[in-house]
Amino acid sequence: GAVVSQHPSRVICKSGTSVKIECRSLDFQATTMFWYRQFPKKSLMLMATSNEGSKATYEQGVEKDKFLINHASLTLSTLTVTSAHPEDSSFYICSASRESGNTIYFGEGSWLTVV
Amino acid sequence: AQSVAQPEDQVNVAEGNPLTVKCTYSVSGNPYLFWYVQYPNRGLQFLLKYITGDNLVKGSYGFEAEFNKSQTSFHLKKPSALVSDSALYFCAVRDFFPFSGGYNKLIFGAGTRLAVHP
């Protein structure tokens, strides 16, 4: 079964509003989670590394004020897209791994549509 | 910097025939390599990984991959393709920072779309 859960799987929001996407590790603790963005028929682009109890580390070119990441517990990271615009519409995927493991598990992804 | 390349945008194969999806890598140090599959509108599913040990790695759904250090390749293979194998396949390498206590950031290839025809 799934070990990383994302919610919601699909969300539609109005331009200018904010939307939150959750990523949960279901049966293990993850001090680090990752957020990716995927455009249609394209590869995954790493947006940021979510660190439990500290600030997220953003990749070059990703606006940290627009894509807010909070990793408040060892099993939950949230991505908030603030003041969303249509160009933010995309598929967002998170990943996590067990501390002692080498396998990285992905969530099912969240489709964001900004209208 | 770590990177992987998937030279083929799409691979077409007839059902029952063997399939190969290519991946080459460029890393400093020992590579940690992964293959994932993505079905339409879904997240990524783990297929297999190479960390160390045998060069031939067996994974889920009958897939396997061969790590070739001299050719810096990690091609995904399956002896007999199924129509249900049609999906998007990603090769990835781990960008690992041991001093961060385990840091499983993945760098993905562009992806290869596999189409298996009946």
Side-chain angles (χ1 to χ4, degrees):
Chain A
V3 296
V4 175
S5 171
Q6 272 186 249
H7 178 80
S9 57
R10 290 182 179 272
V11 57
I12 300 173
C13 70
K14 291 184 178 180
S15 186
T17 63
S18 296
V19 61
K20 181 185 291 186
I21 301 170
E22 295 183 345
C23 178
R24 295 180 184 272
S25 55
L26 297 181
D27 63 353
F28 64 95
Q29 294 181 334
T31 56
T32 306
M33 293 184 177
F34 299 89
W35 285 97
Y36 294 83
R37 181 174 181 177
Q38 185 180 27
F39 292 99
K41 300 183 180 180
K42 298 292 184 183
S43 187
L44 282 74
M45 180 191 76
L46 179 65
M47 298 175 64
T49 304
S50 175
N51 304 301
E52 189 270 335
S54 64
K55 292 181 179 180
T57 305
Y58 289 83
E59 296 299 304
Q60 192 173 8
V62 178
E63 299 175 61
K64 58 183 67 177
D65 294 331
K66 180 166 189 61
F67 298 100
L68 299 179
I69 291 172
N70 188 326
H71 197 148
S73 77
L74 287 169
T75 59
L76 174 63
S77 174
T78 60
L79 168 68
T80 301
V81 182
T82 63
S83 187
H85 290 283
E87 57 264 32
D88 298 325
S89 299
S90 190
F91 192 50
Y92 293 88
I93 308 176
C94 71
S95 72
S97 62
R98 292 180 169 87
E99 282 301 307
S100 59
N102 292 312
T103 299
I104 301 155
Y105 300 96
F106 284 81
E108 283 291 296
S110 300
W111 276 108
L112 170 64
T113 302
V114 184
V115 297
Chain B
Q2 323 284 61
S3 67
V4 289
Q6 293 180 245
E8 303 155 315
D9 290 336
Q10 178 152 336
V11 170
N12 297 297
V13 64
E15 187 175 30
N17 283 1
L19 69 88
T20 299
V21 183
K22 296 180 180 178
C23 172
T24 59
Y25 65 88
S26 174
V27 303
S28 54
N30 295 321
Y32 285 33
L33 296 160
F34 302 79
W35 275 102
Y36 286 85
V37 60
Q38 185 179 35
Y39 295 97
N41 302 318
R42 304 292 297 277
L44 272 66
Q45 294 181 31
F46 171 76
L47 282 178
L48 50 80
K49 65 184 176 186
Y50 173 83
I51 305 298
T52 186
D54 290 340
N55 290 342
L56 184 63
V57 179
K58 293 188 182 297
S60 305
Y61 313 119
F63 284 94
E64 59 187 30
E66 186 169 10
F67 172 69
N68 188 317
K69 190 173 183 178
S70 63
Q71 296 184 5
T72 62
S73 67
F74 189 56
H75 300 332
L76 180 71
K77 300 181 179 183
K78 187 173 182 180
S80 179
L82 300 172
V83 173
S84 58
D85 293 329
S86 299
L88 188 57
Y89 290 80
F90 289 102
C91 180
V93 63
R94 190 171 87 171
D95 209 7
F96 182 57
F97 296 90
F99 303 108
S100 300
Y103 193 94
N104 287 318
K105 181 169 74 172
L106 288 180
I107 308 299
F108 284 89
T112 299
R113 188 162 301 278
L114 173 67
V116 181
H117 306 285

